[in-house]
Amino acid sequence: MKRILVVDDEPQITRLLRASLQSSGYTVLVANNGVEAYARFESDNPDLIVTDLAMPEMNGIELTRAVRRVSQTPIIVLSVRDAEAMKVNALDEGADDYLTKPFSMPELLARVRAQLRRVPDAPPTAARIEAGDFIIDADAHSAIVRGQPIHLTPKEFDLLQFFARSPHRVLTHKVLLRAIWGPSGDDQPEYLRVLVAGLRKKIETAEGKKYIHSEPWVGYRFEPSGAAPFTTS
């Protein structure tokens, strides 16, 4: 049974999340702040963390940063609508997904399922990635989509490979710019828009297969099967 650590300083939120997650078959651990949460993380090794951002003692960004120093445990952050900058900062620090309060429990459960489906990220030295409709070979610099080879520019190949190593995750503009262009890309968001548009034209189909999903004002999410996020069990 998968174990989920829920972190929030509002007791009514933790009660609601605990009840909903337990009814879906998960074991739920609860912490009231980031310091307590990190102690539970170290002692109980949860499979996933759901954390609020605005908390006393250690906030959700600091918790995410601390966890990422030692683990790739999936992290979903919860934020109020006017905390956009804090949410993006958490994603830049390594959070995998986010929900804006108020949110529906079916959507939270779908996002939990999506993160728990993720296989551990392939190590940087892995030459071959097989994910959904994609087979990507770094050594041969080749990509096959739905059984057909496609021709990509070097940057398009780098972007596709980076996406494929982190399926279902929200990848912020900053993370993607640095991954493809290094620190010099931080101030050139138009590069990313053009690159994503070119890659979409080559891998997506008129029949409705959509692999790269935009997260407005935040970044992109890669779904290697071409399914819409959170619609499958």
Side-chain angles (χ1 to χ4, degrees):
M1 186 179 292
K2 298 291 187 180
R3 291 181 295 178
I4 298 176
L5 174 59
V6 171
V7 191
D8 202 300
D9 61 336
E10 297 183 36
Q12 65 271 31
I13 297 294
T14 56
R15 284 196 297 268
L16 173 64
L17 294 178
R18 184 205 291 267
S20 297
L21 290 165
Q22 285 180 338
S23 67
S24 296
Y26 301 109
T27 297
V28 180
L29 314 168
V30 172
N32 297 314
N33 58 61
V35 172
E36 183 182 340
Y38 192 75
R40 295 298 304 263
F41 162 74
E42 288 190 309
S43 63
D44 296 307
N45 191 28
D47 297 289
L48 182 142
I49 299 170
V50 178
T51 182
D52 190 28
L53 287 181
M55 296 183 295
E57 297 190 57
M58 176 190 282
N59 64 33
I61 294 173
E62 293 166 331
L63 174 61
T64 297
R65 189 181 296 130
V67 170
R68 279 293 166 265
R69 291 192 188 106
V70 297
S71 171
Q72 290 302 310
T73 300
I75 299 173
I76 299 174
V77 297
L78 309 176
S79 70
V80 295
R81 193 169 300 277
D82 60 355
E84 190 78 14
M86 197 173 187
K87 175 175 64 184
V88 173
N89 194 5
L91 292 165
D92 282 338
E93 292 293 341
D96 299 279
D97 205 351
Y98 70 92
L99 270 175
T100 300
K101 298 178 180 179
F103 52 83
S104 72
M105 288 310 304
E107 183 174 5
L108 173 63
L109 292 171
R111 290 174 187 261
V112 165
R113 291 193 299 270
Q115 291 304 321
L116 291 176
R117 280 199 303 268
R118 285 179 53 209
V119 297
D121 288 348
T125 55
R128 183 181 175 92
I129 304 169
E130 295 188 23
D133 293 341
F134 295 80
I135 300 174
I136 302 167
D137 189 320
D139 288 343
H141 210 271
S142 67
I144 297 173
V145 185
R146 301 180 302 278
Q148 299 296 319
I150 56 171
H151 175 71
L152 301 174
T153 67
K155 291 297 186 189
E156 288 171 345
F157 185 84
D158 290 345
L159 179 61
L160 178 60
Q161 186 175 210
F162 193 76
F163 274 141
R165 293 190 189 281
S166 301
H168 315 300
R169 285 186 62 183
V170 176
L171 299 171
T172 65
H173 299 124
K174 181 178 180 180
V175 165
L176 290 166
L177 285 164
R178 289 195 170 188
I180 306 305
W181 287 281
S184 63
D186 280 7
D187 299 322
Q188 304 292 339
E190 66 276 10
Y191 290 178
L192 183 60
R193 287 194 294 269
V194 172
L195 189 63
V196 168
L199 182 58
R200 276 175 165 158
K201 288 180 181 179
K202 293 182 179 181
I203 67 175
E204 296 182 348
T205 70
E207 292 76 25
K209 281 276 191 177
K210 185 174 182 182
Y211 301 105
I212 303 172
H213 298 263
S214 297
E215 295 285 335
W217 310 109
V218 177
Y220 298 94
R221 185 194 307 269
F222 183 67
E223 297 292 335
S225 67
F230 320 124
T231 57
T232 58
S233 61

